[in-house]
Structure formats: structure tokens, C-alpha cells
Amino acid sequence: MNQEEELLNLFKNVNAFIPIFQALADSERLLILLKLFYAGSNGKNVTELSEKTRLSRPAVSHHLKVLKAAGIINSRKDGTQVYYSLDAKDKIAKIESLVNLLLQHLKLIDANQNKPLDDAALERIVSKARDMIKSA
């Protein structure tokens, strides 16, 4: 794969992780994730997550909505209660593959130091990648 193809592939893969990175970019959501991590497969409900924190139930619900939209957590209904649990294994594997892709791209950049891509080429490739993502 040439440098342009590698960059297109990298951009498409990183772009898919933007919702996850945005969801993880909040310390309150990270606290909720840690609580869910330690809760195991049974998970916790909003009341349990809001206990012993400075977050209100509506605030916890909002953060759970963001985490669920990013595909980081799952929910299951048990009577009138909704329990949330971490959907980590698949996401961690995908993040690991993204890190490996970034490392491969760095190696490619090092191998092509004598012919680096200029800003115009980078902008053209990114524009092409955006167009591919929109049409997919």
C-alpha cells in the first residue's frame, strides 16, 4: 500500500472513532465508565451511578445517553429499572487496532522521509477521504 492509500485508510479509521473520543473526553463520563467497569456484567442503574457522586440523576442520565450513543455501553431493562453495563471488549480491540494502524503509518512516514507529502497533497487526500465517508 502506498503512502496515499495508507493515509486514506488511516483517516477513515480515525474518523470512525470520533464519537468514542468525544464521549471519553469528559471526566464525569470517565467516572461513570469506571463504576460500570467494576459493576461487571450486571451493570448499574441511574440511581446507583448517581449515589456518592456530585452528579444528579438527570446529569447521570445525560452522560449515559452520550456513552450509549457512542456505543461504549449497553442497557437492559429489568422491570421498571434500566441497567447499564460496559461494552468494552470489542471497543478495546478496535482501539488497539487503531493504535496499530497509527504505528504502521508512522513507520511508513519514517520510510518515506525523502519524499514527504506536502500540505496540498495532505489536503487533497483528506478531502478525498471525507468524500468517501460521506458517500458510504
Side-chain angles (χ1 to χ4, degrees), residues 2 9 14 19 22 28 39-40 42 44-45 48 82 87 90-91 94 104 109-110 117-118 128 133:
N2 68 31
N9 189 36
V14 171
Q22 288 172 331
E28 301 299 343
N42 290 332
K44 290 189 176 220
N45 64 26
E48 292 169 326
V82 178
D87 185 14
D90 183 48
K91 293 294 182 244
K94 286 181 180 180
Q104 288 174 351
I109 290 170
D110 286 344
L117 294 174
D118 61 16
K128 184 176 179 180
I133 291 167

Side-chain angles (χ1 to χ4, degrees), residues 41-53:
S41 60
N42 290 332
K44 290 189 176 220
N45 64 26
V46 174
T47 302
E48 292 169 326
L49 290 167
S50 63
E51 289 174 349
K52 299 180 184 173
T53 68

Side-chain angles (χ1 to χ4, degrees), residues 68-79:
K68 190 169 180 183
I72 299 171
I73 63 172
N74 293 318
S75 65
R76 69 174 170 77
K77 195 161 184 155
D78 186 5

Side-chain angles (χ1 to χ4, degrees), residues 1-7 9 108 112:
M1 206 179 297
N2 68 31
Q3 199 169 1
E4 182 174 336
E5 291 169 338
E6 283 281 341
L7 188 55
N9 189 36
L108 182 66
N112 288 302

Side-chain angles (χ1 to χ4, degrees), residues 44-133:
K44 290 189 176 220
N45 64 26
V46 174
T47 302
E48 292 169 326
L49 290 167
S50 63
E51 289 174 349
K52 299 180 184 173
T53 68
R54 61 185 189 92
L55 297 174
S56 65
R57 288 179 51 139
V60 170
S61 292
H62 166 74
H63 289 302
L64 289 168
K65 181 179 176 183
V66 172
L67 293 167
K68 190 169 180 183
I72 299 171
I73 63 172
N74 293 318
S75 65
R76 69 174 170 77
K77 195 161 184 155
D78 186 5
T80 60
Q81 295 294 315
V82 178
Y83 288 87
Y84 297 88
S85 59
L86 195 59
D87 185 14
K89 289 181 184 178
D90 183 48
K91 293 294 182 244
I92 290 170
K94 286 181 180 180
I95 290 171
E96 181 182 26
S97 68
L98 176 64
V99 169
N100 287 331
L101 189 62
L102 288 167
L103 289 171
Q104 288 174 351
H105 192 72
L106 287 174
K107 287 178 186 175
L108 182 66
I109 290 170
D110 286 344
N112 288 302
Q113 282 300 320
N114 58 340
K115 49 185 174 190
L117 294 174
D118 61 16
D119 286 348
L122 286 172
E123 288 176 24
R124 180 181 50 77
I125 294 168
V126 168
S127 178
K128 184 176 179 180
R130 284 184 179 136
D131 290 343
M132 290 170 64
I133 291 167

